[in-house]
Amino acid sequence: MDAAEFRRRGKEMVDFVADYQENIEHRRVYPDVEPGYLRSMIPSEAPLEPESYEDVLRDVDRVIMPGVTHWLSPHFYAYYANSTSFPSILADLLSSGIGTIGFTWAANPACSELETVMLDWLGKMLQLPEDFLSETQGQGGGVIQGTASEATLMALLSARLKTVKCVQESDPQRSEADIISKLIAYTSEEAHSSVEKASIIGGVVIRMVPTDEHFSVRAETLEKMVAEDKATGYIPFFFCATLGTTPCCAFDKIDELGPICNAENIWMHIDAAYAGCAFICPEFRPLLNGVEFADSFSINPNKFLLVGFDCSAMWVKKSADLTRAFQMDPEYLKHEHQGSGLVKDYMHWGIPMARRFRSLKLWFVFRMYGLRGLQAFIRKHVELAKTFENLVRGDNNFEICAEVVMGLVCFRLKGSDELNKALLKQITRTGKIHLVPCTLRGRFVLRFVVCGRTTELRHIQEAWKHITELSSKLLQNLFDHEGKEN
Amino acid sequence: MDAAEFRRRGKEMVDFVADYQENIEHRRVYPDVEPGYLRSMIPSEAPLEPESYEDVLRDVDRVIMPGVTHWLSPHFYAYYANSTSFPSILADLLSSGIGTIGFTWAANPACSELETVMLDWLGKMLQLPEDFLSETQGQGGGVIQGTASEATLMALLSARLKTVKCVQESDPQRSEADIISKLIAYTSEEAHSSVEKASIIGGVVIRMVPTDEHFSVRAETLEKMVAEDKATGYIPFFFCATLGTTPCCAFDKIDELGPICNAENIWMHIDAAYAGCAFICPEFRPLLNGVEFADSFSINPNKFLLVGFDCSAMWVKKSADLTRAFQMDPEYLKHEHQGSGLVKDYMHWGIPMARRFRSLKLWFVFRMYGLRGLQAFIRKHVELAKTFENLVRGDNNFEICAEVVMGLVCFRLKGSDELNKALLKQITRTGKIHLVPCTLRGRFVLRFVVCGRTTELRHIQEAWKHITELSSKLLQNLFDHEGKEN
């Protein structure tokens, strides 16, 4: 395919994407396919000779689309969103078209520098303390990670190295392995599974901190655990706070946890993957109070800021904590400005060495929406969630299971877990809307997250109507069944 | 921006990308910018109100392009390539447009299943043993990682867990921390820096294995080191072989190393990021003989198979080795088919939980080029490299520093490192072509990699002419200078 054909096919693909998104609400949001459906639909080997583009595109409709979970559908209320937008898609197309790879500054100066400045822009939108910004020429700065999992892992690994070095300073005889075997990390029992995964990768023990009645980690709980562990010879070194947990969007009390972490030399990382995006609205910013105590902080613009996956923004107070952990400079990656303090070689800031030109997505989206446009988007989602909450509260068969702060509503039928599982199964099988569950205090709960960029009031009302229709049938069956039994 | 505007802007962007690539060879391949050039060219904060798309696009030309290292230019001969192509860009646009995120099968069945089948297609193109394929319903299978660094890290971490479990089976009292402190990994002194980085992340010792006169790791060297380390109480557990090293594209002798690793219970991972792609050509396939001894193997289609970054294909013989290391199943990620053995939840196969729909790039490229088209592309690059090698050999001022097997030519001016550094500095400053250096046996060497999809014979000839013009001046200066001194 040469450039001339690409012009034609590319424009067709733009229309294909536009058509897809314009008509997405008429598709079944959760696919009706069985495991292994795809293999039998395509050959078992790559073709020897080129095929026609028409055949490939036809197969997108025939093979791919029936098996897609439509994340961009207004009927999609699962997980947290991939909140992409057209400007983000354009920026990604540009990134693919330039085809550059970033790792050192020299590999693509524009890629490295735009990333630095965009993280400053976003940091200011969030009113982060100056310590976290690059423009102040201090020790802090931002970086784009692929996912929040990687941000958490980088924070934990950096904390591990920092603590090992710190312990060895006062006790030079002690081996790294011995110190690591005594390290202990903490996170909320409500935290994302990636925190536990990071501890396994890092080879350190992790303890889950119980939460209060609002599903928040509180200072006294952590304080007590830290004291216990120190008494038995452990070295508390890392606490991952969550702002906006995955199950119910709960918020750890970082303003009271931060001082403890600082006093105990515990690295505090804040995982605010979803909710952190909303801190660009002044009314939500108080939830971030205490960030000044953190060593690192991350949010996922791809969850709630109209930027497509993958884009996880991470800030650290002392970037050397990250970079010195993994600094490696083979000859083929050296360049004349390295070590000058003037440039950022982001390869030292993350797990993968290379990176796409992802800051373009942030730049396009920030400029095409403006801060006010992004705030309006977030507020609309929160308002729609409040509407759904009110619908649930107005129905005596249902209960709300956690405070609704942003775009997530946790709810359930009053009754058994089995009843709620049956309801979710019906919802999934019908495929008109898509939800996933969570467990709260041992109970099976349904999560309803406003996800779509194009989700409107009518979709919320339709979704609720659909849920109550399915639940009414279930309750009727249950009633009939119980009637027969009695 | 609504769908109607996206149709217009998207088509403009397609033309922008086509124009960029059609005219790329007239651009200065390595940018002439100073560190920090970008910050002063744009505002220090995000705009409050939306800006016009015209302004954003104008700034791509004004702000971004002057600072881009043009990886897709036919004058780009640095690192290894980002070998993207138009079908790959189209597939990526489709992926952005669908906007789905994969982690479990249920998050997007098509994404999970196409990935599985595409890794089988590619595995067959490489004539991998059946153990590595999913279609045989055995224990093996493939996965797309973002980068080779992640593939190596996953292999090392899986090997770590496997060895810990194995040691504990015979010695249940021994702690995980104690075992890890005794683990020892090996890789070539010529291996990519990401192998050492993986060992640091994994908290294990790594030893660099000296290479023979062809820069290859040989069996007897590894065997000797393993014996030494076992004698002092270490537990050899991981060997990362390289097929196509970054400095000079050397090949470890996996057919003789594999049996040793198998006998010693050492996990053998093969990092064939660049060169592995060429094994789809029968004439290069013998270099992969011995893969049957490997536990895992990875190549980067984004380096040499016309697929855009990021796309690193990895195969494992026993997928449970990978997945059991990190299996975590919170309620919100459960689905009805998990654990059925019928589906793949790729979140357990890598560091990040979530993934883009990257298999579309493989599908589009394999079908639009066909196996023969891809083979032809690789052969053309190898042929161009041989042409460059012959030009170098024909000039008495220069020497070839390593055998030219694929698209990389390592060469230098006969003379001091300083002379060669001066030559590279001139090349970089002039900006007509772009190379990076390496160190071979302590000497400073220039690497010339055929990278561009559109690189032709005339570009190679021009590049050589340019290099010899610059070197002639340097040599003349040196001669004059020495003349004066004498």
Side-chain angles (χ1 to χ4, degrees), chain B residues 409-411 420 423-424 427 435-437 444-448:
Chain B
V409 182
C410 286
F411 71 108
N420 281 283
L423 173 58
L424 183 64
I427 292 172
L435 311 183
V436 295
F444 187 86
V445 168
L446 277 65
R447 293 171 78 261
F448 183 94

Side-chain angles (χ1 to χ4, degrees), chain B residues 10 25 29 33 43 46 59 62 116 131-132 154 158 176 188 200 212 223 229-230 244 341 398 400 436 484:
Chain B
E25 70 172 292
V29 59
V33 293
D59 280 351
R62 185 182 66 90
T116 304
D131 297 350
F132 289 102
M154 278 305 292
S158 305
E176 179 175 335
S188 166
I200 295 172
D212 71 6
E223 208 163 14
D229 293 331
K230 282 168 72 180
F398 286 88
I400 291 289
V436 295
K484 272 179 205 153

Side-chain angles (χ1 to χ4, degrees), chain A residues 155-156 159 184-188 195 207 209 217-218 222 226 236-242 252-254 257-258 261 266-271 295-296:
Chain A
L156 181 136
I184 191 156
Y186 304 87
T187 198
S188 166
V195 188
R207 284 186 73 186
V209 187
V217 171
R218 304 302 299 265
L222 180 67
V226 167
F237 84 110
F238 182 74
F239 171 59
C240 179
T242 313
D252 292 341
K253 298 284 178 202
I254 56 169
L257 291 157
C261 291
I266 294 172
W267 180 300
M268 183 162 83
H269 173 68
I270 301 172
D271 173 9
D295 295 281
S296 54

Side-chain angles (χ1 to χ4, degrees), chain B residues 1-55:
Chain B
M1 187 181 288
D2 60 11
E5 193 185 350
F6 171 73
R7 285 178 201 273
R8 187 153 64 94
R9 300 311 187 183
K11 288 164 192 177
E12 287 171 14
M13 186 59 85
V14 166
D15 278 328
F16 186 97
V17 167
D19 290 344
Y20 171 73
Q21 295 204 14
E22 278 192 317
N23 298 300
I24 196 166
E25 70 172 292
H26 306 302
R27 291 181 186 265
R28 190 190 150 95
V29 59
Y30 184 72
D32 184 22
V33 293
E34 289 300 310
Y37 87 95
L38 184 142
R39 187 180 288 276
S40 63
M41 297 178 80
I42 63 175
S44 63
E45 291 187 26
L48 212 52
E49 302 295 343
E51 297 183 51
S52 80
Y53 183 76
E54 285 83 358
D55 284 346

Side-chain angles (χ1 to χ4, degrees), chain A residues 296-307:
Chain A
S296 54
F297 168 62
S298 83
I299 72 169
N300 283 14
N302 63 252
K303 280 202 163 67
F304 208 7
L305 274 181
L306 293 161
V307 175

Side-chain angles (χ1 to χ4, degrees), chain A residues 1-3 6-7 10-11 13-22 30-31 33 35-39 43-51 53 59 64 67-69 71-72 79 82 86 90 92-94 96-101 103 105-110 113 116 120-121 124 135 147 150 153 157 160 177 181 192-193 197 200-201 246 309 326 328 331-332 336-337 342-343 347 350-356 363 367-372 429 437-439 444, chain B residues 1-3 6-7 10-11 13-19 21-22 30-31 33 35-39 43-51 53 59 64 67-69 71-72 79 82 86 90 92-94 96-101 103 105-110 113 116 120-121 124 135 147 150 153 157 160 177 181 192-193 197 200-201 246 309 326 328 331-332 336-337 342-343 347 350-356 363 367-372 429 437-439 444:
Chain A
M1 186 181 289
D2 60 11
F6 171 73
R7 286 178 201 272
K11 289 165 192 176
M13 187 59 85
V14 166
D15 278 328
F16 185 97
V17 167
D19 289 344
Y20 171 72
Q21 294 204 15
E22 279 193 315
Y30 185 72
V33 292
Y37 87 96
L38 185 141
R39 187 180 289 275
S44 63
E45 292 189 24
L48 212 52
E49 302 295 342
E51 296 183 51
Y53 183 76
D59 280 351
I64 302 301
V68 169
T69 305
W71 281 62
L72 304 187
Y79 314 111
N82 178 20
F86 290 122
L90 291 175
D92 237 5
L93 171 54
L94 177 61
S96 297
I98 296 178
T100 186
I101 302 182
F103 35 86
W105 179 86
N108 184 350
E113 298 206 1
T116 305
D120 275 358
W121 278 23
K124 289 181 196 177
E135 66 169 26
T147 58
E150 288 160 83
L153 176 58
L157 293 171
R160 188 184 76 176
S181 74
H192 191 268
S193 59
K197 185 164 167 174
I200 296 172
I201 294 170
T246 309
F309 182 83
F326 307 112
M328 236 153 288
E331 192 69 46
Y332 46 86
E336 59 175 333
H337 298 296
L342 299 171
V343 302
M347 60 176 281
I351 303 293
M353 189 180 92
R355 56 188 44 242
R356 281 167 61 90
W363 199 39
R367 296 182 66 184
M368 294 302 296
Y369 282 91
L371 176 56
R372 291 220 172 108
R429 294 239 163 127
C438 69
T439 309
F444 186 86
Chain B
M1 187 181 288
D2 60 11
F6 171 73
R7 285 178 201 273
K11 288 164 192 177
M13 186 59 85
V14 166
D15 278 328
F16 186 97
V17 167
D19 290 344
Q21 295 204 14
E22 278 192 317
Y30 184 72
V33 293
Y37 87 95
L38 184 142
R39 187 180 288 276
S44 63
E45 291 187 26
L48 212 52
E49 302 295 343
E51 297 183 51
Y53 183 76
D59 280 351
I64 302 301
V68 169
T69 306
W71 282 62
L72 304 187
Y79 313 112
N82 178 20
F86 290 122
L90 291 176
D92 236 5
L93 171 55
L94 178 61
S96 297
I98 296 178
T100 186
I101 302 181
F103 36 86
W105 179 85
N108 185 352
E113 299 206 2
T116 304
D120 275 358
W121 277 22
K124 289 181 196 176
E135 66 170 25
T147 58
E150 289 159 80
L153 176 58
L157 293 171
R160 189 184 74 178
S181 75
H192 192 267
S193 58
K197 186 165 168 174
I200 295 172
I201 294 170
T246 310
F309 181 84
F326 306 113
M328 234 153 290
E331 192 67 48
Y332 47 85
E336 60 176 333
H337 298 296
L342 300 171
V343 302
M347 60 176 281
I351 304 293
M353 188 180 92
R355 55 188 45 242
R356 282 168 61 92
W363 200 39
R367 296 182 68 185
M368 294 303 296
Y369 282 89
L371 175 58
R372 291 219 172 109
R429 293 242 161 125
C438 69
T439 308
F444 187 86

